[in-house]
């Protein structure tokens, strides 16, 4: 270290705002903390304003996802109907109301869908991670393997815990995703376009209380919807208000290597992706939906391009290195602990960038044009290629959390360091 380095001033941290805009983790609308509404903490039969009733706004949201209608809810209270002195603030954020009967409620609701907001909303940034990609790229399987890995190992590596936001989310994830895949070895059915999926919401909570929790929202949009303008219009809001994007690409979507992989794997079933499944089609749809309206027609949302089913690329591995080198990093699992390993990242990012550029240059070029901040990864949610839709071994994910750890690094939750 040079002597003058001792006198260099450390860059000052950006001043913390008084509050943060809230992005609802259910409907993905964005609003300020002063716009929240509240669920009354009690009801009264002698006061119509506080009587039990149907919440039409909440039930409209639930109907979109095929959820049961909820009857007899406590009333919704608006802050503007309550005197200023009866509003409760914490760190400049409206967190509660003292109603006309002296009862306090801290149950804050999204003003758009009336779902209850996390207690940290408005006090910390609302960071949403979106998973997007065309049909049959394995988004549901990847989401399952990722959350399972975050809960069982990654969180511990960063002195944190990964927890579902509600017991209902915990139950649905465990019964419909985690148990079938990890305990019974059953492959998950593809998400159907007509079947809207309610988002899975988890929080990555650090044991260091000075670090705010990171809210993870996984909204599993059906692949067919990612190239359907009307369908994307319903779900594009969550992508537009995301803090990070996991963009899934299946090797079988790439024409130049699809037949080669098929031949190597001896697959003659003929069940191959349609013309709608080109990765570039998804990018073009995203562009017309919201990227075109951004400054310079680019998005600065950090985007991890995730090549799924990397175990399939084993069939392309060879000494000639035409596609995959014999000593490739793709097939070796990597654990990032306490920090993001920049050396490991640069190795995998460089290898996958070169691979994508070689096999699908139009897609790579489109990403370069419309996305300012990208990184490239390869993952295997299962660890091996299923045969006839059946798993041949225990599920052993490879590098599934690496794109997420990169997003944590980009969002300044963790540091990046080199091995030396």
């Amino acid at each position: 270290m040079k002597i003058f380095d001792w006198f260099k001033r450390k860059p000052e941290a950006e001043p913390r705002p008084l509050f943060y805009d809230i992005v609802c983790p259910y409907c993905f609308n964005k609003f300020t903390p002063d716009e929240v509404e509240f669920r009354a903490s009690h009801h009264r039969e002698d006061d119509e304003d506080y009587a039990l009733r149907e919440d039409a706004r909440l039930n409209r949201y639930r109907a979109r996802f095929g959820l049961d209608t909820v009857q007899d809810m406590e009333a919704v209270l608006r802050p503007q109907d309550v005197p200023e002195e009866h509003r409760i603030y914490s760190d400049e954020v409206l967190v509660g109301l003292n109603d006309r009967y002296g009862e306090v409620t801290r149950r804050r609701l999204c003003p758009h869908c009336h779902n209850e907001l996390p207690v940290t909303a408005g006090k910390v940034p609302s960071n949403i991670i979106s998973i997007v990609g065309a049909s049959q790229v394995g988004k549901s399987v990847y989401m399952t393997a990722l959350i399972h890995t975050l809960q069982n190992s990654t969180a511990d590596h960063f002195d944190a815990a990964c927890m579902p936001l509600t017991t209902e989310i915990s139950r649905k994830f465990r019964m419909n995703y985690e148990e079938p895949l990890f305990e019974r070895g059953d492959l998950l059915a593809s998400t159907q376009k007509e079947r809207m999926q309610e988002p899975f919401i988890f929080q990555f909570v650090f044991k260091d209380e000075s670090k705010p929790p990171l809210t993870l929202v996984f909204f599993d949009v059906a692949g067919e919807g990612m190239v359907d303008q009307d369908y994307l219009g319903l779900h594009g809001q969550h992508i537009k208000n995301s803090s990070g994007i996991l963009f899934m690409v299946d090797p079988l979507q790439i024409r130049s290597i699809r037949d080669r992989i098929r031949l190597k794997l001896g697959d003659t079933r003929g069940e191959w992706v349609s013309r709608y499944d080109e990765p570039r089609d998804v990018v073009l749809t995203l562009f017309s939906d919201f990227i075109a309206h951004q400054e310079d027609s680019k998005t600065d949302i950090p985007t991890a391009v995730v090549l799924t089913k990397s175990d399939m690329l084993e069939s392309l591995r060879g000494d000639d290195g035409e596609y995959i080198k014999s000593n490739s990093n793709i097939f070796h699992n990597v654990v990032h602990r306490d920090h993001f390993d920049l050396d490991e990242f640069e190795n995998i990012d460089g290898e996958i960038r070169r691979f994508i550029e070689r096999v699908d240059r139009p897609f790579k070029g489109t990403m370069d044009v419309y996305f300012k901040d990208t990184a490239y990864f390869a993952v295997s949610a299962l660890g091996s290629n299923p045969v006839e839709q059946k798993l041949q071994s225990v599920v052993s994910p490879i590098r599934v959390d690496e794109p997420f750890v990169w997003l944590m690094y980009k969002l300044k939750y963790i540091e990046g360091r080199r091995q030396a």
Side-chain angles (χ1 to χ4, degrees):
M1 180 181 289
K2 297 178 180 179
I3 189 169
F4 294 106
D5 291 339
W6 291 100
F7 298 97
K8 289 181 179 179
R9 296 181 61 184
K10 291 183 179 180
E12 294 183 3
E14 295 181 6
R16 184 188 183 282
L18 294 177
F19 61 83
Y20 295 88
D21 286 341
I22 299 171
V23 177
C24 174
Y26 292 91
C27 70
F28 311 105
N29 279 291
K30 193 173 186 177
F31 48 91
T32 65
D34 284 342
E35 296 178 85
V36 301
E37 297 179 352
F38 289 82
R39 180 80 60 198
S41 60
H42 65 111
H43 63 274
R44 297 177 65 97
E45 296 181 1
D46 59 345
D47 187 337
E48 185 177 346
D49 291 340
Y50 285 76
L52 294 175
R53 67 192 68 188
E54 178 187 351
D55 187 333
R57 199 167 297 180
L58 175 63
N59 281 330
R60 275 199 302 271
Y61 166 86
R62 294 179 63 83
R64 291 179 63 189
F65 299 101
L67 303 174
D68 294 336
T69 298
V70 179
Q71 304 289 346
D72 296 335
M73 300 287 293
E74 280 80 11
V76 173
L77 307 179
R78 301 191 307 162
Q80 54 266 43
D81 296 333
V82 176
E84 178 67 34
E85 60 269 23
H86 289 176
R87 302 175 195 172
I88 303 169
Y89 291 84
S90 173
D91 297 329
E92 306 294 333
V93 175
L94 179 63
V95 296
L97 295 180
N98 197 330
D99 68 24
R100 69 176 67 160
Y101 296 101
E103 299 282 350
V104 173
T105 176
R106 297 180 183 270
R107 298 174 61 190
R108 292 184 298 165
L109 308 178
C110 168
H112 300 277
C113 68
H114 282 183
N115 277 290
E116 196 163 340
L117 297 168
V119 294
T120 56
K123 295 184 178 182
V124 299
S126 294
N127 286 322
I128 288 179
I129 308 297
S130 298
I131 300 178
V132 301
S135 178
Q136 297 182 4
V137 299
K139 294 187 299 296
S140 298
V141 176
Y142 175 70
M143 178 193 74
T144 305
L146 174 59
I147 295 177
H148 178 86
T149 302
L150 293 181
Q151 289 183 323
N152 288 279
S153 59
T154 311
D156 187 58
H157 296 157
F158 291 95
D159 207 19
C162 183
M163 300 172 290
L165 191 63
T166 67
T167 55
E168 181 66 10
I169 290 172
S170 176
R171 185 187 64 81
K172 285 186 176 180
F173 174 71
R174 187 174 62 253
M175 291 182 58
N176 299 336
Y177 291 83
E178 191 172 34
E179 288 180 358
L181 188 63
F182 281 89
E183 295 184 16
R184 299 197 296 272
D186 296 335
L187 287 180
L188 304 175
S190 297
T191 303
Q192 300 303 309
K193 180 179 174 181
E194 62 274 7
R195 180 185 166 203
M196 293 187 184
Q197 297 271 351
E198 189 181 23
F200 285 94
I201 308 169
F202 291 76
Q203 282 200 317
F204 205 82
V205 183
F206 294 90
K207 295 176 184 177
D208 180 354
E209 295 182 359
S210 66
K211 291 184 179 182
L214 172 60
T215 301
L216 317 175
V217 179
F218 297 98
F219 194 55
D220 189 16
V221 179
E224 294 86 343
M226 293 310 301
V227 289
D228 182 321
Q229 285 288 353
D230 293 335
Y231 188 84
L232 187 65
L234 296 173
H235 299 87
Q237 191 83 350
H238 88 283
I239 302 171
K240 180 169 61 178
N241 286 326
S242 293
S243 299
I245 296 173
L246 297 170
F247 193 113
M248 319 302 291
V249 177
D250 185 336
L252 293 179
Q253 292 177 268
I254 302 171
R255 292 183 182 181
S256 62
I257 63 169
R258 184 160 63 222
D259 288 340
R260 187 166 182 145
I261 292 176
R262 288 173 57 190
L263 192 63
K264 293 273 188 175
L265 294 178
D267 198 323
T268 58
R269 290 171 296 158
E271 297 175 2
W272 301 102
V273 289
S274 70
R275 61 186 177 89
Y276 295 109
D277 282 326
E278 292 289 331
R280 190 173 63 162
D281 288 346
V282 180
V283 181
L284 295 175
T285 307
L286 289 175
F287 173 76
S288 60
D289 186 65
F290 83 93
I291 297 176
H293 308 293
Q294 307 299 303
E295 186 177 354
D296 300 327
S297 294
K298 286 189 175 186
T299 178
D300 57 3
I301 300 173
T303 301
V305 179
V306 184
L307 193 64
T308 64
K309 307 175 185 176
S310 62
D311 48 87
M312 281 188 174
L313 300 179
E314 181 74 43
S315 62
L316 303 179
R317 192 173 181 176
D319 294 331
D320 58 1
E322 181 182 2
Y323 292 108
I324 303 295
K325 295 181 179 179
S326 58
N327 62 344
S328 171
N329 297 291
I330 292 175
F331 311 107
H332 303 294
N333 198 30
V334 168
V335 175
H336 295 267
R337 191 187 301 271
D338 299 323
H339 63 272
F340 185 56
D341 189 323
L342 294 174
D343 292 313
E344 284 288 354
F345 161 66
E346 288 174 1
N347 286 336
I348 194 70
D349 174 67
E351 182 174 358
I352 301 304
R353 279 181 188 271
R354 291 188 293 271
F355 176 77
I356 294 291
E357 192 161 38
R358 182 176 182 82
V359 300
D360 196 346
R361 183 165 292 180
F363 168 63
K364 173 66 165 52
T366 306
M367 290 297 299
D368 291 343
V369 168
Y370 293 144
F371 291 79
K372 294 181 181 179
D373 192 358
T374 58
Y376 288 75
F377 302 91
V379 305
S380 174
L382 302 176
S384 61
N385 186 40
V387 177
E388 299 294 334
Q389 294 299 300
K390 293 182 180 179
L391 297 176
Q392 302 301 298
S393 61
V394 176
V395 176
S396 301
I398 299 173
R399 305 186 85 129
V400 293
D401 64 341
E402 193 169 34
F404 170 79
V405 177
W406 175 75
L407 288 174
M408 281 206 299
Y409 163 67
K410 297 301 293 185
L411 295 172
K412 296 181 170 54
Y413 279 87
I414 60 173
E415 293 181 348
R417 299 179 193 166
R418 300 194 178 278
Q419 294 171 2

